[in-house]
Amino acid sequence: MSNTASNQTSTSRAWVMLLLAGAFEIVYALSVAGSQAFTVLSWSISAIVFFLLTLYALSVALKTIDVGIGYAVWAGIGAVGSAVFGSVLLDQSLTLPQAFWLAVIIAGVIWLKLASSEKLQPEKSELVAS
Amino acid sequence: MISWVYLGIAVLFEIAVAFSAGNAQGFTRLWWTIATLVSGAIATFFLSLALLEFDVGVGYSIWTSVAGVGIVVIGAVFFQERLNPRKLSGIAMVIGGVIGLRLSGAA
């Protein structure tokens, strides 16, 4: 029981890493788009660097956070973020139907990842307070 | 139309990334780590080809989401992971959304 405090510290550190992984993933997506199929050097380097950063941050976060929940949050941040920042920074504004269907896809993948979570299975009675 | 093909190839390699990264055990196993990086590089390259035509938000979201569906379906078919109604509804939402985007003229 004495390691409850250190568990909490590592849990919050893991969540910081997960949010960072989501932010890195947004930069990765925008860099891949900006690289113009890897013909622009600066964006290409940025894409590679942020791919590795995302992979590292995600792997650290998922040592502590449940994989289903972790992927749901990470995928949600990456997808929403790339749509929002893509429209603002790269001037790729979506039409209303496109934004609607995009929202359906993103909600679907978050729902799917949460449904894959060990911790969120309905038949398990012990809910984990985090 | 060719952009959708590029995106499909990128999806297949993204599924390979998830599978390899899962077996790399925190990147302590060399060959699975190499497989993760190589698949990631190929997936990224084909994504970049698709994003020449797709808006980044649309192309990226279809890519990760369809890969997510693929991972669950492969898990159910080859690794005896259970498909419950919640997973099926998530899969249906992703597929419905992709069809909707296709019909609303996203590349």
Side-chain angles (χ1 to χ4, degrees), chain A residues 15-76:
Chain A
W15 277 97
V16 170
M17 286 306 271
L18 187 65
L19 297 180
L20 271 177
F24 292 155
E25 183 73 359
I26 298 171
V27 181
Y28 161 78
L30 296 176
S31 303
V32 172
S35 78
Q36 298 291 316
F38 287 87
T39 56
V40 181
L41 182 66
S42 54
W43 284 114
S44 304
I45 292 171
S46 171
I48 294 165
V49 169
F50 279 93
F51 171 74
L52 295 174
L53 283 174
T54 299
L55 212 55
Y56 171 74
L58 191 62
S59 73
V60 171
L62 293 184
K63 279 180 188 167
T64 308
I65 299 169
D66 172 77
V67 173
I69 297 170
Y71 269 125
V73 171
W74 171 74

Side-chain angles (χ1 to χ4, degrees), chain B residues 14-93:
Chain B
E14 180 67 2
I15 294 171
V17 170
F19 186 72
S20 317
N23 281 296
Q25 295 185 344
F27 302 109
T28 54
R29 295 163 87 183
L30 179 65
W31 288 107
W32 284 114
T33 302
I34 292 172
T36 307
L37 295 176
V38 171
S39 316
I42 299 172
T44 301
F45 179 67
F46 279 97
L47 176 66
S48 78
L49 290 177
L51 291 185
L52 289 174
E53 198 170 335
F54 280 98
D55 283 354
V56 56
V58 173
Y60 173 81
S61 298
I62 293 176
W63 175 59
T64 45
S65 305
V66 175
V69 167
I71 290 161
V72 170
V73 170
I74 288 172
V77 173
F78 294 104
F79 300 100
Q80 283 83 44
E81 286 169 18
R82 286 185 309 136
L83 274 181
N84 54 35
R86 288 170 57 194
K87 285 186 187 175
L88 288 173
S89 61
I91 291 171
M93 285 170 78

